[in-house]
Amino acid sequence: MKWMVSASLVTELLTKLEVEKDQWIYDAIKRFDGETYAENLELSTTEERILEIKNSEHSMYQQKKLDLERMELELNTLEEDVEENQRSLEDLEPTLDVLQKELAAYESGAKSLDEIQFEKFRCGLDDQFTFDKKDQVVFKERRISKLMGSYQLVESDMLDFYQRQLAEAWLLLTRSIETIASAVKFDFVTNPPVVEVDLKHGRGLDQYLKPGNFEEDYWIALGTLEWNNSIVYEYYLSQINQFQRNAKEELMQLWDRKHEQKRLADEKVLELQVKNRQMKERMVELKNQVGRAKPEWEQGLLRPKLLEDILKEEFVRAVSGWQEKLLARDASDEERWAYHQYSQIILKQAERIIGNETF
């Protein structure tokens, strides 16, 4: 009968201990994260649940670590890209400066071409004679030699007048393209097809005895001068205009090419500036994210250690409680045996959950 009572007590104790053997794990779970992890214990064993928690904590820690490393790597990459873009911007500055100066030089050259003037000579034959009150050449100057000498003098002045203008035009044309390596040459042709004066009465005696004869030859000489003046003027003007067009065409072709290069360079500058602004904004965003993520990662680094410490404390508390009962003076041999057996059971649990090296 005594044996049956003892067996019944042992069975009851073992049943109780079987229920209590996982309590230390449950208490550790509650201490670690309140009710969050303890909610679904009915879906798995307590031991399975604590292992899930440990794996989950490790996974979260690893994910935070990877996220932090990714953000720091992206931040470092952005810093390098911003520096590289800044160097590219600095490298583009002298290029843009050169292009702007070249464009200004071409524009200045084209403007200089437009400013070239070529005036027409005034045939002042009347300046060579003296006129009376009737607005006629005085008798003593009505000589063939006087008329021809005056004609030749005015014609010489006309040619000199155009030669001086040609020299000025050549200088302006040359200066307009001196900033470019041009193959354009300004070689003026200087043999205008002038006609000779053919006087109607300029033969025989030097003195015109009839006023009408002198007047007729005077107008022939003046008309010939004006005719030749128009020929020479148009002859040189057409060459100047052609040289202007040739030089301006070359300048404008160069201007178009340089303008396109500058447009592309300006676009590149704008693109780099936009990228830099976007990358700097992203850097600010990343720095804020890193500033928030780093403490979370550091906190996550402590959580596995905190869980392990709590598990150890709860294990020690549970084992200590059972050991007190095991060593109690009034404990029966059966109770001591039961407490010893379950102490070994939770010891094995602790080795699986916490690690063999701890025990």
Side-chain angles (χ1 to χ4, degrees), residues 14 35 110 149 157 216 249 289 314 355:
L14 289 175
E35 299 296 330
D157 288 344
E216 191 172 2
E249 181 180 356
Q289 290 178 0
E314 292 298 328

Side-chain angles (χ1 to χ4, degrees), residues 71-177:
M71 288 187 288
E72 289 177 338
L73 178 61
E74 184 181 355
L75 190 58
N76 290 334
T77 302
L78 285 171
E79 288 174 350
E80 292 174 359
D81 289 345
V82 167
E83 290 177 1
E84 183 178 351
N85 279 8
Q86 191 58 41
R87 286 193 295 270
S88 298
L89 284 169
E90 291 171 359
D91 291 341
L92 280 170
E93 285 180 3
T95 301
L96 285 170
D97 185 55
V98 169
L99 288 171
Q100 187 59 50
K101 288 179 179 178
E102 288 177 332
L103 287 171
Y106 301 152
E107 290 168 1
S108 176
K111 185 178 179 182
S112 297
L113 288 171
D114 292 335
E115 291 175 351
I116 294 176
Q117 301 292 326
F118 194 69
E119 297 179 10
K120 191 173 184 179
F121 180 74
R122 187 184 71 82
C123 298
L125 184 61
D126 55 349
D127 295 338
Q128 308 299 320
F129 293 92
T130 304
F131 292 84
D132 57 20
K133 293 179 180 180
K134 295 180 180 181
D135 202 24
Q136 294 181 343
V137 176
V138 296
F139 181 75
K140 65 178 182 178
E141 293 182 5
R142 294 181 183 183
R143 297 193 307 274
I144 298 173
S145 58
K146 173 71 173 175
L147 181 59
M148 289 301 298
S150 298
Y151 174 89
Q152 292 168 356
L153 181 61
V154 173
E155 185 179 52
S156 178
D157 288 344
M158 175 187 69
L159 295 175
D160 288 343
F161 177 82
Y162 287 127
Q163 286 296 325
R164 287 194 301 272
Q165 287 197 93
L166 283 181
E168 292 175 2
W170 182 89
L171 185 61
L172 291 172
L173 287 166
T174 303
R175 285 178 177 174
S176 68
I177 61 170

Side-chain angles (χ1 to χ4, degrees), residues 270-286:
L270 182 60
E271 178 187 347
L272 290 171
Q273 289 174 340
V274 170
K275 282 185 177 180
N276 266 9
R277 185 172 64 253
Q278 292 173 342
M279 288 190 293
K280 287 178 180 179
E281 290 173 355
R282 177 59 178 161
M283 285 170 64
V284 171
E285 181 183 348
L286 278 173

Side-chain angles (χ1 to χ4, degrees), residues 289-304:
Q289 290 178 0
V290 169
R292 292 190 299 269
K294 204 159 190 177
E296 292 178 4
W297 170 76
E298 291 171 349
Q299 186 65 30
L301 187 63
L302 299 175
R303 283 178 66 82

Side-chain angles (χ1 to χ4, degrees), residues 213-226:
N213 292 344
F214 176 80
E215 295 294 333
E216 191 172 2
D217 276 353
Y218 177 87
W219 290 111
I220 289 174
L222 181 58
T224 303
L225 281 173
E226 291 177 344

